Amino acid sequence: MAKYTIGLDYGTNSVRAILVNVADGREIASAAWTYAHGKEGILLSGDPNLARQHPADYLKGAETTIKRALAAAKRSVKTFKPDHVIGLGVDTTGSTPIPVDRKGQPLAMDPRFAKDLDAMAWLWKDHTSFAEAEEITDLARKMRPQYLAKCGGVYSSEWFFSKILHCLRTNPKVFSAAYTWVEAADWIPAVLSGTEAPEDLKICVCAAGHKAMFNADWGGYPDEKFLARLDPKLGGLHVRLKTRAQTIDTSVGELSKAWASKTGLPAGIPVATGVFDAHAGAVGSGIEPGTLVKILGTSTCDMMIVPAGQPLADIPGLCGIVKGSVVPGFIGLEAGQSAVGDIFNWYVDVIRPGGAKSGSHAALTKEADKLAPGASGLLALDWNHGNRTVLVDPRLSGLLVGQSLHTTPAEVYRALVEATAFGALTIINRLEQYHVKVERIVTGGGIAEKNPMVMQIYADVTNRPMMLSRSSQTCALGAAVAAAVCAGAHESIPAAQKAMTGLKTKVYQPNPPAVAVYKKLYVLYKQLHDAFGTTAWKGSCHNVMKDLLDLRAQARGS
Amino acid sequence: MAKYTIGLDYGTNSVRAILVNVADGREIASAAWTYAHGKEGILLSGDPNLARQHPADYLKGAETTIKRALAAAKRSVKTFKPDHVIGLGVDTTGSTPIPVDRKGQPLAMDPRFAKDLDAMAWLWKDHTSFAEAEEITDLARKMRPQYLAKCGGVYSSEWFFSKILHCLRTNPKVFSAAYTWVEAADWIPAVLSGTEAPEDLKICVCAAGHKAMFNADWGGYPDEKFLARLDPKLGGLHVRLKTRAQTIDTSVGELSKAWASKTGLPAGIPVATGVFDAHAGAVGSGIEPGTLVKILGTSTCDMMIVPAGQPLADIPGLCGIVKGSVVPGFIGLEAGQSAVGDIFNWYVDVIRPGGAKSGSHAALTKEADKLAPGASGLLALDWNHGNRTVLVDPRLSGLLVGQSLHTTPAEVYRALVEATAFGALTIINRLEQYHVKVERIVTGGGIAEKNPMVMQIYADVTNRPMMLSRSSQTCALGAAVAAAVCAGAHESIPAAQKAMTGLKTKVYQPNPPAVAVYKKLYVLYKQLHDAFGTTAWKGSCHNVMKDLLDLRAQARGS
């Protein structure tokens, strides 16, 4: 009798449930639902920095997608019955903290706060807390530098404490009404297992470690004295925060009878500890030491794991170094690029080059694919939305150099793709500089599947094979993998990955002549990267345009 | 009885004759003719560097346009008769040397060479001689540095000796058949006055001084020893080159009977010494000390004059410092930007931003005009076609920095316009650094008349009033001014300019708040200019993106 687990993947605009065979990872059914509140699931205001979600959507989304997925499974596998489902895992965006009351109920569900945006879930991409993020970074630099060493040296406005502190400062009514704050990644599994009361709540090491400076080495979250120095009221929260955090091979509890009856799933099956989407995606992509999993979308999330026993320095610029955050027994490393697909989309949708007909991604790719590396004479920096890793600096911008009077739209498009690949290589080089070897890259998602040119450029620029995850829902699959381990179908996450995840057969291998050209172009990229991105660099850029012209002449054979 | 002179203006694609009243500069008639040979008057080959013209077009063009202009004059002024025309002036492109035989006949007209492109006129923009230009520069640096001091430190592939040396090296048959080489600016007035035989020929100081290292201080053209070191055969040419050069207030002779009968003009009227088009344009724009005349087109030519008695250092980077080249009694200074309108055209015609409808110059200008200085956060370098002044370096390229994910086509368009204005200011600053004061800028041509936004940005960036020439044919008008002086209607070029040239009433005044913002942006432009354009600069560019973001925030009031 086949056994299945459910992976529930909460994205920015919608939630998806997939049903996966724990023996071989086959996805037999899938169902998605777009959140009901706000614009494509996001509550907005006049402030462009604000982005919230209604927690009620998380519950409605679980019910809707699980029921639909079960119905779809019955259609695709004749013998399927809901009691073949042995576990459930959840991944979400993050850091997405929710203010909750003494019972773990979101304030958003209290009629008094029904219309207060600050009582909602503060979505990962909410940037209202930029001033508080700076304040936290400044204080940590002086008082607790060790906190920053694990998150790249800068605390972000997207993260847990920045958001809570901003609420405290700007909406004390909501802050006072909140008993504590819970990440969406922790709250949803808790509700499904009836453990949402703060005293019963279990939290995941992934959210706490990467976004809230949680580390067993210093006893969990930042200490009360540190939080109190930011604000005495924030210090007062410390006693209500958890002191232990779990890995995804552990459950937070069993599916409650209430949720069993709502969804049609058997009551009592384990609900896995929650996890962030990118981390679940890494698990679903079969992450292991030596493999960098790149979640390639509008931005990227780059994940690596290192055996926990192996000595590892604090790597400057990485947005997270957390034991057990991806695979238990391994240190999880998180890096990322602030904009990748977003840069290509900006060029196609906002600049709209090529007149009426030739400006689509497909048309530009077709032309760009004919160009030899170096032949355009162009070089770009991929910082239109700042730089997450390794510079950790949002106050950067795009740059394009080498334009002539003949530079074409497709040449610019290719230069933008190459720039993001150079950005990817910069992350890889930083990892290897600290002895984390990157032997291959596994990626997935729309760009990777739709655009072979992008994949080949990444292979040539990074000089590493580019591989594709077999699943196109790696995040949900990762959550299902976690559930399979919690349910005892596999003895460990790596064992479950071996059975349930895999790669497509197509591998993009580096092409040596292109690798050689990109090696030279990367020297120039790195020069501009350091010239515009660091204070340490001092020099001249006089060679840049001339070197690009030389490379252009060589590439064109003239 | 009103008196008139004719200005004959030989452009790149066509020739134009205008008939001008010498008392007030009124243009009573005009006629243009596109050259018959080649593509829009230019003979091309498989080599993109090659651009030639057929000298027969110059003669056919004179006959056609003069006859048509006389006919038009009779229609516009009832009392007009051809014998009211008292003189004729000629301006041409240059350096455009023509190989001629012992009688001053172009080899192109010899049936033996009728199909040999090297026997034609070598048009100013012919770049086949780039290797020879480098050779001449290198030798002059070692042997005669004084030659280069008057032409910006680099001898160009567009100039007289580069072209002759290239012909010698690549087509010895043509070189041997040529008795000597004559600039189009000298050859056309000579033919009209029957003085084309090499022993009778008069040459203009403008072409010789700016493009052929002619200077009275060293006895005219470069000495025989120098030319012979390049090639003994080039040395052999020296004895057949002229030793004196004339200014435009002097005639080269009188209109021959043959040309009088061909055109209908009275025989015996003076034919003024020839002049390059930009120099004639400066005269026709009323150039005087303190006024920079900017001929604003696909590229720019920037002209200034300084009283000959005033001490003047060699100004590094200027493409010419020649006594009497524009107005007799003054030192003529020539600078320029390699691409201005060409950059805007590249963006509109090649990049074609804005999808189907919104990518025209007019549409982009309309949007760009609404933007406040600094509000885009963008900064560009105007080097898509290299930099003529002050860097004298064709091996440079365009640069754009400050792009976000929201940067619009109109923001980029405005940044490109601003970049050319910053380039213009860099020339002005170099002049003032050497005590040549630039109080106002007079310009003309299509961009200046059609695009008030460009004019206002130039006024704000340069912090100087931008004025428009009254005539839209300033080059032809300048030639007519020269003819009026040769005919005795005015006693000097300045007196004739006072009577015959003028400005439009519309003046673009600098707007102080915009000036203040552009002053800050120019600091960043100059930083990138020096960082990418000079070997001397050493530093960091870390401030650039951040300063642009600060200026953007200030401009947007956020």
Side-chain angles (χ1 to χ4, degrees):
Chain A
M1 185 76 72
K3 288 175 181 172
Y4 301 90
T5 53
I6 283 191
L8 255 182
D9 169 42
Y10 286 86
T12 299
N13 310 108
S14 61
V15 50
R16 176 182 298 274
I18 65 171
L19 254 166
V20 183
N21 187 318
V22 298
D24 57 12
R26 223 156 46 91
E27 297 166 20
I28 63 159
S30 166
W33 181 75
T34 298
Y35 305 129
H37 290 81
K39 193 181 169 191
E40 291 188 72
I42 307 172
L43 298 160
L44 304 169
S45 75
D47 179 356
N49 283 321
L50 187 142
R52 306 283 157 85
Q53 286 186 325
H54 202 300
D57 282 341
Y58 301 152
L59 306 184
K60 180 80 190 296
E63 187 179 340
T64 308
T65 57
I66 292 172
K67 274 157 75 175
R68 288 188 193 162
L70 291 175
K74 283 176 198 163
R75 289 193 297 274
S76 75
V77 177
K78 288 278 174 273
T79 56
F80 174 82
K81 285 181 183 164
D83 62 6
H84 301 169
V85 179
I86 60 168
L88 185 152
V90 175
D91 72 88
T92 74
T93 68
S95 168
T96 302
I98 306 169
V100 299
D101 65 16
R102 203 170 269 273
K103 293 176 177 171
Q105 280 292 307
L107 297 187
M109 292 166 178
D110 181 331
R112 289 182 300 156
F113 296 104
K115 289 186 177 171
D116 194 326
L117 287 173
D118 297 328
M120 306 290 150
W122 293 48
L123 190 61
W124 66 278
K125 66 176 177 175
D126 186 291
H127 285 165
T128 49
S129 320
F130 57 89
E132 289 79 9
E134 226 173 281
E135 203 182 325
I136 294 171
T137 301
D138 289 347
L139 182 67
R141 252 177 217 156
K142 281 177 232 147
M143 198 171 159
R144 301 281 186 268
Q146 66 273 31
Y147 292 174
L148 296 181
K150 301 292 179 193
C151 60
V154 178
Y155 196 76
S156 163
S157 64
E158 293 186 1
W159 297 351
F160 194 70
F161 287 112
S162 302
K163 287 169 170 170
I164 299 173
L165 185 57
H166 185 70
C167 180
L168 186 165
R169 291 267 160 77
T170 58
N171 195 335
K173 211 175 134 199
V174 166
F175 181 82
S176 305
Y179 178 77
T180 188
W181 292 67
V182 182
E183 282 281 353
D186 294 325
W187 186 74
I188 297 166
V191 170
L192 296 176
S193 59
T195 60
E196 71 271 29
E199 60 274 19
D200 299 331
L201 185 77
K202 318 277 187 309
I203 63 166
C204 65
V205 71
C206 160
H210 283 281
K211 312 297 177 189
M213 302 183 281
F214 186 104
N215 194 309
D217 289 355
W218 50 79
Y221 283 106
D223 62 278
E224 185 177 348
K225 201 171 155 192
F226 175 79
L227 295 179
R229 183 77 76 86
L230 290 163
D231 195 293
K233 285 181 188 162
L234 192 66
L237 184 67
H238 187 267
V239 68
R240 299 194 296 278
L241 296 173
K242 311 303 286 188
T243 51
R244 288 191 55 252
Q246 301 192 164
T247 50
I248 55 167
D249 54 350
T250 324
S251 72
V252 298
E254 297 173 352
L255 190 73
S256 69
K257 284 184 182 157
W259 276 91
S261 91
K262 270 187 201 183
T263 56
L265 284 173
I269 60 170
V271 177
T273 299
V275 59
F276 281 159
D277 43 10
H279 297 236
V283 171
S285 298
I287 195 167
E288 61 183 333
T291 297
L292 183 145
V293 174
K294 184 177 267 296
I295 311 290
L296 185 59
T298 53
S299 62
T300 76
C301 200
D302 294 12
M303 313 292 309
M304 291 284 293
I305 60 172
V306 174
Q310 185 176 310
L312 179 69
D314 296 332
I315 307 178
L318 253 67
C319 28
I321 305 173
V322 176
K323 200 173 149 184
S325 68
V326 182
V327 177
F330 294 82
I331 298 165
L333 304 179
E334 185 186 338
Q337 294 175 262
S338 312
V340 175
D342 268 346
I343 295 181
F344 315 154
N345 289 338
W346 159 72
Y347 188 59
V348 166
D349 298 335
V350 185
I351 296 298
R352 291 185 292 154
K357 288 177 184 167
S358 53
S360 68
H361 285 288
L364 287 166
T365 297
K366 193 178 162 192
E367 286 306 307
D369 201 19
K370 294 176 192 163
L371 301 169
S376 70
L378 296 175
L379 180 64
L381 288 176
D382 51 324
W383 299 347
N384 293 43
H385 196 46
N387 177 294
R388 195 178 294 156
T389 311
V390 297
L391 298 171
V392 201
D393 187 350
R395 284 175 59 77
L396 294 170
S397 55
L399 185 147
L400 180 69
V401 61
Q403 299 92 314
S404 74
L405 294 172
H406 307 286
T407 297
T408 66
E411 287 177 331
V412 175
Y413 191 76
R414 188 176 175 110
L416 295 175
V417 171
E418 290 169 346
T420 65
F422 292 139
L425 177 58
T426 306
I427 293 172
I428 291 170
N429 288 346
R430 175 61 58 91
L431 288 164
E432 294 220 322
Q433 196 186 338
Y434 285 82
H435 313 295
V436 179
K437 200 132 181 62
V438 180
E439 280 153 10
R440 71 199 75 79
I441 300 163
V442 173
T443 186
I447 296 175
E449 287 179 19
K450 283 184 211 154
N451 199 317
M453 180 190 78
V454 170
M455 292 294 281
Q456 189 59 52
I457 288 174
Y458 273 62
D460 293 340
V461 165
T462 63
N463 195 18
R464 285 167 173 87
M466 291 290 294
M467 300 165 175
L468 281 159
S469 308
R470 190 176 60 205
S471 169
S472 57
Q473 300 295 341
T474 52
C475 302
L477 178 58
V481 165
V485 177
C486 292
H490 296 287
E491 64 172 5
S492 68
I493 296 291
Q497 285 179 295
K498 203 171 173 190
M500 296 171 71
T501 73
L503 299 173
K504 293 200 167 137
T505 49
K506 170 76 184 166
V507 174
Y508 294 84
Q509 292 291 354
N511 172 29
V515 169
V517 175
Y518 282 133
K519 211 168 175 177
K520 291 176 193 165
L521 271 172
Y522 183 72
V523 171
L524 299 175
Y525 174 90
K526 192 60 175 26
Q527 184 181 346
L528 294 181
H529 177 282
D530 292 353
F532 285 85
T534 74
T535 49
W537 190 88
K538 294 273 181 296
S540 162
C541 295
H542 184 253
N543 63 302
V544 175
M545 293 171 180
K546 286 152 212 321
D547 290 353
L548 287 171
L549 287 171
D550 287 343
L551 286 170
R552 187 179 78 174
Q554 286 162 25
R556 294 183 177 188
S558 60
Chain B
M1 186 76 74
K3 289 175 181 172
Y4 301 91
T5 52
I6 284 191
L8 256 182
D9 168 43
Y10 286 86
T12 299
N13 310 107
S14 61
V15 51
R16 175 182 299 272
I18 66 169
L19 255 166
V20 184
N21 186 319
V22 297
D24 57 11
R26 222 155 47 91
E27 297 166 20
I28 63 160
S30 165
W33 181 74
T34 299
Y35 305 128
H37 289 81
K39 194 184 171 191
E40 292 189 70
I42 306 172
L43 299 160
L44 303 169
S45 75
D47 179 356
N49 283 319
L50 186 142
R52 306 284 156 84
Q53 284 184 328
H54 201 300
D57 283 342
Y58 301 152
L59 306 184
K60 180 79 190 296
E63 186 179 340
T64 307
T65 58
I66 292 172
K67 274 159 73 175
R68 287 186 192 160
L70 290 176
K74 283 178 200 164
R75 289 192 297 274
S76 75
V77 176
K78 288 277 174 275
T79 55
F80 175 80
K81 285 181 184 164
D83 61 6
H84 300 168
V85 179
I86 60 170
L88 186 153
V90 174
D91 72 87
T92 74
T93 68
S95 166
T96 302
I98 307 169
V100 299
D101 65 16
R102 204 171 268 271
K103 293 179 178 170
Q105 281 291 307
L107 296 186
M109 292 166 179
D110 180 331
R112 289 182 300 158
F113 295 105
K115 289 188 176 169
D116 194 326
L117 288 172
D118 296 329
M120 307 290 151
W122 293 48
L123 189 60
W124 66 277
K125 66 176 178 176
D126 186 292
H127 285 164
T128 49
S129 319
F130 58 87
E132 290 78 10
E134 226 172 281
E135 204 181 327
I136 294 172
T137 301
D138 288 348
L139 183 65
R141 252 176 217 157
K142 280 179 231 147
M143 198 171 158
R144 301 284 187 264
Q146 66 273 31
Y147 292 173
L148 295 181
K150 302 291 179 192
C151 61
V154 177
Y155 197 77
S156 163
S157 63
E158 293 186 1
W159 297 351
F160 195 70
F161 287 113
S162 301
K163 287 168 170 170
I164 299 173
L165 185 56
H166 184 69
C167 180
L168 186 164
R169 293 267 161 77
T170 57
N171 195 335
K173 213 175 132 198
V174 166
F175 181 82
S176 305
Y179 178 77
T180 187
W181 292 67
V182 183
E183 282 282 353
D186 294 325
W187 185 73
I188 297 165
V191 170
L192 296 176
S193 58
T195 60
E196 71 270 28
E199 58 275 20
D200 299 330
L201 186 76
K202 318 277 187 307
I203 63 166
C204 65
V205 70
C206 160
H210 283 281
K211 312 296 178 189
M213 302 184 282
F214 186 104
N215 193 310
D217 289 355
W218 50 79
Y221 283 107
D223 61 278
E224 185 178 347
K225 200 170 156 193
F226 175 79
L227 295 179
R229 183 78 76 85
L230 290 164
D231 196 293
K233 286 182 188 163
L234 193 66
L237 185 66
H238 187 267
V239 68
R240 299 195 293 280
L241 296 174
K242 311 305 286 187
T243 52
R244 288 191 54 250
Q246 303 192 163
T247 51
I248 56 166
D249 54 351
T250 322
S251 72
V252 298
E254 298 172 351
L255 190 71
S256 70
K257 285 183 183 159
W259 275 92
S261 92
K262 269 188 203 181
T263 56
L265 285 173
I269 60 170
V271 177
T273 299
V275 58
F276 280 159
D277 44 11
H279 298 236
V283 171
S285 299
I287 196 167
E288 61 184 332
T291 298
L292 183 144
V293 174
K294 184 177 268 297
I295 311 289
L296 186 59
T298 52
S299 62
T300 75
C301 200
D302 295 12
M303 314 292 309
M304 291 284 293
I305 60 171
V306 175
Q310 185 176 312
L312 180 70
D314 296 332
I315 308 179
L318 254 66
C319 28
I321 304 172
V322 176
K323 200 173 149 185
S325 69
V326 181
V327 177
F330 294 82
I331 298 164
L333 304 178
E334 184 186 339
Q337 294 176 261
S338 311
V340 175
D342 268 348
I343 295 180
F344 315 154
N345 290 338
W346 159 72
Y347 189 59
V348 166
D349 299 335
V350 185
I351 297 298
R352 289 186 290 156
K357 287 180 188 167
S358 52
S360 69
H361 285 287
L364 287 166
T365 297
K366 193 178 162 190
E367 287 306 308
D369 201 20
K370 294 177 192 163
L371 301 168
S376 70
L378 296 175
L379 180 63
L381 288 177
D382 51 323
W383 300 347
N384 293 44
H385 197 46
N387 177 293
R388 196 177 292 157
T389 311
V390 301
L391 297 172
V392 202
D393 188 350
R395 285 174 59 77
L396 294 170
S397 55
L399 185 148
L400 180 68
V401 62
Q403 299 92 310
S404 73
L405 294 172
H406 307 287
T407 297
T408 66
E411 287 176 330
V412 175
Y413 190 75
R414 187 176 174 111
L416 295 175
V417 172
E418 290 169 345
T420 66
F422 292 139
L425 178 58
T426 307
I427 293 172
I428 291 169
N429 288 345
R430 176 60 58 92
L431 288 164
E432 294 219 323
Q433 197 186 335
Y434 285 82
H435 313 295
V436 180
K437 198 133 181 64
V438 180
E439 281 153 10
R440 70 199 76 78
I441 300 163
V442 174
T443 184
I447 296 175
E449 288 179 17
K450 282 184 210 152
N451 199 318
M453 179 189 78
V454 171
M455 292 294 282
Q456 189 59 52
I457 288 174
Y458 273 62
D460 293 339
V461 166
T462 64
N463 195 19
R464 286 167 174 85
M466 290 291 293
M467 299 164 175
L468 282 159
S469 308
R470 192 176 59 203
S471 170
S472 57
Q473 300 295 342
T474 52
C475 302
L477 178 58
V481 165
V485 176
C486 292
H490 297 286
E491 63 172 6
S492 67
I493 296 291
Q497 286 179 294
K498 204 173 172 189
M500 297 172 69
T501 72
L503 301 172
K504 293 201 166 139
T505 49
K506 170 76 184 166
V507 174
Y508 294 85
Q509 292 291 354
N511 172 29
V515 170
V517 174
Y518 282 132
K519 211 167 174 176
K520 292 177 192 165
L521 271 173
Y522 182 72
V523 171
L524 299 175
Y525 174 90
K526 191 62 173 31
Q527 183 180 346
L528 293 182
H529 176 282
D530 292 353
F532 285 86
T534 75
T535 49
W537 190 88
K538 294 274 180 297
S540 162
C541 295
H542 184 252
N543 63 299
V544 175
M545 293 172 180
K546 287 154 211 321
D547 290 352
L548 287 172
L549 287 171
D550 286 343
L551 286 170
R552 186 178 79 174
Q554 286 160 26
R556 294 183 177 188
S558 60

